[in-house]
Amino acid sequence: MATPESIHRLLSVAATLLDHAASEIRDAKLAPVRENIERVGEALAEISELRQRVYEVAPELMPEYLKQPSEHSESNRLLTRYMFQASEYELAGDLESAVETFQEYITLEESAFHRDIAAGEIERLRNATGTTRPINQANAQRRRLRQPLGAFFTPLMKAPAPIVATGGCFCGAVRFRCGGTPRSVVQCHCGQCRRLSGAAFTTWVSFAKEALSLSGQASLSVFQATENVTRHFCKVCGSHVYTSDARFSNVVGVPAGAIEGELPAKPSAHYFVSHKAAWHTINDALPQFGGESGFEPQDA
Ligand SMILES: [Zn+2]
Ligand SMILES: [Zn+2]
């Protein structure tokens, strides 16, 4: 019978298989290795999103390690960077540099959990240095069977969901953290966005509502911009912090300018281009949507 639990089980199996595939892509050097492993990583991120949906309806299925607060985001990000660096050395056959990369990481990392992952990788690399290549299929098969399932992404998947964006208002009274993959990043040229921001358009990064966590909420004020749209802004400095829309109650939009540093994804399209400021010219090749609804495809 199809239940949240059966879906949960299937997704766990799918994640384990994908993770195993990532290890094999690395071991078989399936070119382009890095891109291929990243593709698997993207698929795993999607599965992880699906699992979150399952936990929303069946919280008892959520594993213990996901219940911890998301304090590991920086560690996840740093480890991912070092893992890719080390895997590039490994692919080039320079196992010593790969080991050194993880050793360097261990000296920088404060989280014991993440240091353990790196130590495990060092051990795996050291073992690999000592072994000769399998000479026939049977050996290769035996060697593969000895490998633990899920060597590549599993450690990262066990860590809490990474925080992908942090930011806040101008004065610092309100701060936010957004976890998980953004749903979309778009440029909105509608009249509301123009007047509310005072700029030609607003770049919106939308996240699952539960992915947004706020501090300093006492300093937030609310403006009902339309029947459906509520604008949340800092009552001290006036910065726009996020917007919610009653028609899309699971999503919030964060203005990209409030996010610090790199955006978690690049803008993918322009919307409401028929309403854009006459004095503004769109100079990129992103798809454009407009018309009365703001969402009809336009000839660029
Ligand atoms: Zn403020
Ligand atoms: Zn707009």
Side-chain angles (χ1 to χ4, degrees):
M1 200 179 81
T3 61
E5 194 174 1
S6 67
I7 298 168
H8 172 67
R9 260 200 316 275
L10 288 169
L11 291 175
S12 303
V13 172
T16 305
L17 292 175
L18 277 171
D19 191 17
H20 196 200
S23 299
E24 294 215 354
I25 288 168
R26 178 191 61 200
D27 295 347
K29 299 188 174 27
L30 181 70
V33 178
R34 183 177 173 147
E35 283 86 335
N36 288 339
I37 288 177
E38 279 175 348
R39 259 177 216 129
V40 177
E42 281 164 21
L44 282 167
E46 292 295 329
I47 287 181
S48 160
E49 286 280 316
L50 276 170
R51 290 167 98 166
Q52 290 298 332
R53 301 287 96 78
V54 172
Y55 302 146
E56 277 167 26
V57 295
E60 71 282 1
L61 294 174
M62 186 185 271
E64 278 306 315
Y65 61 80
L66 285 177
K67 290 179 185 160
Q68 310 153 16
S70 303
E71 291 303 328
H72 285 326
S73 57
E74 275 311 310
S75 302
N76 286 348
R77 214 171 294 170
L78 192 65
L79 177 58
T80 308
R81 217 167 65 220
Y82 273 80
M83 275 181 93
F84 275 123
Q85 177 65 59
S87 77
E88 282 190 351
Y89 283 129
E90 189 181 352
L91 288 169
D94 187 356
L95 298 186
E96 218 22 70
S97 298
V99 167
E100 280 166 19
T101 304
F102 282 115
Q103 282 168 337
E104 182 188 325
Y105 171 78
I106 286 174
T107 64
L108 297 171
E109 181 55 65
E110 282 173 13
S111 147
F113 177 86
H114 291 78
R115 284 200 306 268
D116 281 351
I117 295 170
E121 284 295 289
I122 290 175
E123 201 182 300
R124 182 183 63 76
L125 288 163
R126 289 224 165 108
N127 289 339
T129 328
T131 50
T132 47
R133 295 208 139 272
I135 50 168
N136 60 41
Q137 272 312 105
N139 274 352
Q141 187 62 27
R142 268 200 296 280
R143 187 165 163 269
R144 197 172 304 131
L145 287 174
R146 274 206 307 277
Q147 278 181 351
L149 266 181
F152 203 89
F153 285 102
T154 303
L156 286 173
M157 279 165 28
K158 291 219 163 122
I163 296 297
V164 298
T166 56
C169 69
F170 178 76
C171 76
V174 185
R175 303 274 310 155
F176 61 76
R177 290 148 67 90
C178 301
T181 323
R183 299 285 175 86
S184 66
V185 182
V186 300
Q187 321 278 36
C188 186
H189 296 263
C190 81
Q192 274 177 40
C193 284
R194 183 162 57 253
R195 272 173 299 160
L196 286 169
S197 68
F201 59 90
T202 300
T203 306
W204 290 107
V205 185
S206 56
F207 289 94
K209 191 178 175 189
E210 68 274 7
L212 180 76
S213 63
L214 292 156
S215 61
Q217 265 172 295
S219 298
L220 272 181
S221 207
V222 170
F223 174 66
Q224 194 72 38
T226 67
E227 193 189 331
N228 291 308
V229 177
T230 310
R231 178 179 179 248
H232 303 253
F233 63 98
C234 172
K235 59 185 171 196
V236 183
C237 68
S239 302
H240 195 172
V241 179
Y242 75 100
T243 283
S244 49
D245 186 324
R247 292 164 296 183
F248 313 100
S249 58
N250 295 326
V251 180
V252 291
V254 175
I259 292 174
E260 290 158 350
E262 283 290 307
L263 288 185
K266 294 224 159 47
S268 62
H270 296 272
Y271 286 90
F272 285 93
V273 296
S274 313
H275 296 69
K276 79 172 179 62
W279 43 267
H280 174 69
T281 310
I282 297 172
N283 282 321
D284 59 42
L286 293 178
Q288 298 187 11
F289 300 86
E292 204 43 53
S293 73
F295 295 95
E296 293 151 38
Q298 309 286 297
D299 299 328

